[in-house]
Amino acid sequence: MALASEPVLLLMDEPTAGMSPEETTVMMRLISALAAERTVVLVEHKMKLVMGLCERLIVLHHGEFLAEGTPEQIRNNADVRRVYLGEE
């Protein structure tokens, strides 16, 4: 229904919640195809999906800004690693 008006911006909140790994893979392909034609903003906790799809990420911790950057920058960000991976 959200695509019926051909939006230039699509907001998706946890689009793969409750999906199996196979269903998530299909959804990743769909989101990628949608992103070729419009801006897609995701709120998502599945890091494999986010890192595989997104060009830029914003990481929040307890609702507050923690980091922003490319997937590679986020993977290597000391604050992200400390908060989410428990690394020093």
Side-chain angles (χ1 to χ4, degrees):
M1 190 135 117
L3 297 173
S5 64
E6 299 181 12
V8 295
L9 173 66
L10 183 62
L11 304 174
M12 302 181 84
D13 184 17
E14 302 279 348
T16 63
M19 290 186 176
S20 69
E22 295 79 15
E23 292 167 324
T24 298
T25 299
V26 171
M27 181 60 82
M28 285 178 70
R29 285 192 214 111
L30 175 59
I31 294 169
S32 182
L34 292 170
E37 301 172 0
R38 66 194 42 83
T39 300
V40 176
V41 176
L42 293 173
V43 174
E44 182 60 71
H45 291 91
K46 293 181 181 174
M47 291 299 99
K48 182 178 177 182
L49 179 137
V50 170
M51 294 296 190
L53 282 177
C54 298
E55 295 174 8
R56 303 223 28 100
L57 299 112
I58 295 174
V59 179
L60 302 177
H61 180 61
H62 295 295
E64 301 213 2
F65 177 86
L66 182 64
E68 177 180 4
T70 65
E72 189 63 27
Q73 290 169 323
I74 295 301
R75 269 188 210 97
N76 295 319
N77 182 288
D79 290 333
V80 173
R81 295 177 71 81
R82 178 181 48 77
V83 168
Y84 286 100
L85 301 176
E87 296 182 7
E88 292 298 322

